[in-house]
């Protein structure tokens, strides 16, 4: 093996060790600051399920700023680091908008101030401000800033809209996980411009795909937590004189779910690297990760509930918490059909009908 190859392997090993240490630290922080009992209490309370104190804690630690450049006060980290944090938050059932807030920070090139959210899609740019409708924005009712991209003809702007300002209407929604979601309508709303022109649209797109990768990572964490508690239960629950985990149907279900989780994690890592390197295949690889999460990871908590049986449907059990969060994160990722279309077009371009391959 050449010296360059050995150096590359050493670099990969060092990166893996650093990410593993980051995950351990994140797990320890979340174990001290959050619990499944807190999650259930929020779901059972009168207010939307948003852990404001936990958000303040992770904000002080710089989690939402992990992608922001260090010379402006951010963490100067990469998408792999954000995905590790998002996966840990998903596994802990932490109701915080880490993925979209971190993407907004990267896009605006500034550290978090409150809860700034990145809005996907584009609004319309008018003489008096920006307009548009976003039917469902997770944590939209708790947002203190909205990062919006709007255009008209050749003119495009990227900027921050004050959700309490004139021309902004937020209608509260109650999704399955009871996060403070909202329908957001802008009508000639004022915008604090961050960037103009084609670079603005390009930067917004790159921020959206970063948010999607981190959301898939969060879904990996949710699925992993659901599978782990189901596996532990299958080792303890006895039926017909032996643990149910020894039954072929249960055993195969848990193993298949574990495989889906590991594939999802691998797709997240590949997509994150492609996005960071600004690869021409980045959009397709993000769509592939999103498709897998909506198609396979989304069903893992459902399978876990079947392992538990009737107990999983009781309010006191944690299985329904994972199920609720998985459904809402998957919905935020968008249409399964749209992701499948992007992946199919990408694969068709790589493997045309004549059998030749285009790079």
């Amino acid at each position: 093996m050449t010296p360059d190859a050995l150096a590359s392997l050493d670099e990969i090993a060092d990166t893996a060790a650093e990410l593993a240490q980051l995950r351990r630290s994140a797990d320890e922080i979340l174990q001290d600051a959050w619990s499944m009992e807190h999650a259930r209490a929020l779901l059972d309370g009168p207010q939307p399920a948003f852990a404001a104190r936990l958000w303040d804690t992770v904000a002080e630690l710089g989690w939402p700023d992990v992608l922001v450049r260090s010379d402006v006060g951010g963490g100067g980290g990469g998408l792999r680091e954000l995905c590790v944090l998002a996966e840990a938050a998903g596994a802990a059932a932490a109701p915080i908008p880490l993925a979209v807030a971190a993407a907004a920070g990267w896009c605006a090139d500034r550290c978090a101030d409150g809860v700034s959210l990145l809005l996907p899609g584009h609004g319309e740019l008018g003489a008096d401000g920006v307009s548009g409708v976003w039917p469902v924005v997770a944590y939209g009712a708790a947002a203190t800033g909205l990062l919006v991209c709007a255009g008209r003809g050749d003119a495009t702007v990227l900027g921050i809209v004050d959700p309490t300002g004139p021309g902004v209407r937020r209608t509260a929604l109650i999704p399955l996980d009871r996060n403070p979601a909202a329908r957001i309508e802008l009508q000639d709303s004022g915008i604090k411009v961050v960037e103009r022109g084609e670079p603005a649209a390009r930067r917004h797109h790159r921020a959206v795909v970063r948010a999607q990768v981190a959301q898939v990572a969060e879904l990996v964490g949710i699925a992993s937590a659901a599978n782990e508690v189901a596996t532990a239960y299958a080792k303890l629950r006895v039926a017909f004189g032996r643990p149910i985990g020894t039954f072929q149907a249960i055993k195969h279900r848990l193993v298949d779910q574990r495989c889906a989780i590991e594939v999802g994690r691998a797709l997240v890592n590949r997509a994150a690297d492609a996005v960071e390197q600004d690869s021409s295949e980045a959009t397709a690889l993000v769509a592939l990760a999103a498709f897998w999460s909506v198609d396979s990871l989304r069903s893992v908590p459902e399978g876990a509930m079947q392992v538990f049986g009737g107990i999983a449907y009781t309010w006191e059990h944690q299985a329904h918490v994972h199920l609720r969060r998985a459904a809402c994160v998957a919905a935020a990722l968008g249409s399964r059909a749209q992701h499948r279309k992007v992946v199919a077009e990408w694969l068709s371009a790589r493997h045309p009908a004549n059998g030749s391959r285009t790079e």
Side-chain angles (χ1 to χ4, degrees):
M1 187 173 289
T2 65
D4 288 344
L6 288 172
S8 179
L9 288 176
D10 288 341
E11 184 179 353
I12 292 172
D14 290 343
T15 300
E18 291 173 1
L19 293 175
Q21 179 58 47
L22 177 62
R23 177 58 191 269
R24 287 191 292 269
S25 299
D27 287 340
E28 290 174 2
I29 291 166
L30 290 169
Q31 286 170 8
D32 289 340
W34 192 247
S35 69
M36 191 58 65
E37 287 70 26
H38 288 134
R40 282 201 299 268
L42 271 183
L43 288 173
D44 203 23
Q47 301 299 321
F50 170 49
R53 286 189 178 181
L54 178 61
W55 180 255
D56 291 340
T57 297
V58 299
E60 289 178 4
L61 294 170
W63 288 18
D65 307 326
V66 65
L67 299 181
V68 181
R69 293 182 295 118
S70 56
D71 60 336
V72 294
L79 192 48
R80 283 281 196 107
E81 284 84 353
L82 173 59
C83 288
V84 168
L85 296 175
E87 184 179 334
I96 53 176
L98 180 59
V100 289
W106 178 86
C107 192
D109 200 23
R110 71 175 201 175
C111 293
D113 180 15
V115 183
S116 294
L117 301 181
L118 176 73
L119 297 186
H122 285 202
E124 295 181 3
L125 178 63
D128 299 321
V130 298
S131 302
V133 177
W134 287 262
V136 182
V137 177
Y139 298 90
T144 57
L146 303 171
L147 195 64
V148 179
C149 188
R152 181 185 59 187
D154 294 334
T156 303
V157 297
L158 174 68
I160 300 170
V161 172
D162 180 0
T164 63
V168 181
R169 181 180 180 183
R170 290 190 286 184
T171 304
L173 303 173
I174 306 177
L176 189 60
D177 67 352
R178 297 196 71 248
N179 80 74
R183 173 185 172 91
I184 295 179
E185 300 174 70
L186 306 182
Q187 185 62 47
D188 294 328
S189 303
I191 184 170
K192 183 179 179 181
V193 176
V194 173
E195 195 163 10
R196 297 180 183 274
E198 180 60 29
R202 186 164 56 249
R203 186 169 186 83
H204 179 262
H205 171 73
R206 294 172 66 193
V208 168
V209 296
R210 279 168 167 77
Q212 288 180 327
V213 174
Q215 286 173 316
V216 175
E218 183 179 358
L219 194 48
V220 168
I222 295 169
S224 181
N227 191 64
E228 285 176 6
V229 295
T231 300
Y233 180 77
K235 294 176 181 178
L236 298 176
R237 176 71 168 91
V238 175
F240 305 105
R242 57 192 177 117
I244 64 172
T246 63
F247 299 155
Q248 190 175 52
I250 300 294
K251 186 190 308 181
H252 286 185
R253 177 182 294 278
L254 292 172
V255 170
D256 288 346
Q257 291 179 173
R258 186 77 250 171
C259 290
I261 292 164
E262 293 305 325
V263 170
R265 186 175 287 120
L267 290 174
V268 165
N269 290 338
R270 188 181 180 193
D273 289 344
V275 171
E276 289 278 80
Q277 297 163 8
D278 203 15
S279 167
S280 59
E281 296 186 324
T283 299
L285 290 172
V286 172
L288 178 60
F291 174 80
W292 182 262
S293 68
V294 175
D295 193 60
S296 299
L297 294 178
R298 164 69 177 80
S299 63
V300 170
E302 295 177 0
M305 290 191 72
Q306 293 180 20
V307 172
F308 283 109
I311 191 176
Y313 292 88
T314 61
W315 187 260
E316 293 76 14
H317 202 273
Q318 71 182 69
H320 72 89
V321 178
H322 298 307
L323 180 67
R324 290 165 179 265
R325 290 182 52 76
C328 291
V329 173
L333 282 166
S335 165
R336 175 181 180 272
Q338 180 59 36
H339 294 310
R340 181 175 58 189
K341 178 182 178 182
V342 173
V343 173
E345 291 175 350
W346 171 60
L347 292 175
S348 297
R350 288 171 60 88
H351 302 280
N354 62 10
S356 62
R357 176 172 174 172
T358 58
E359 297 296 338

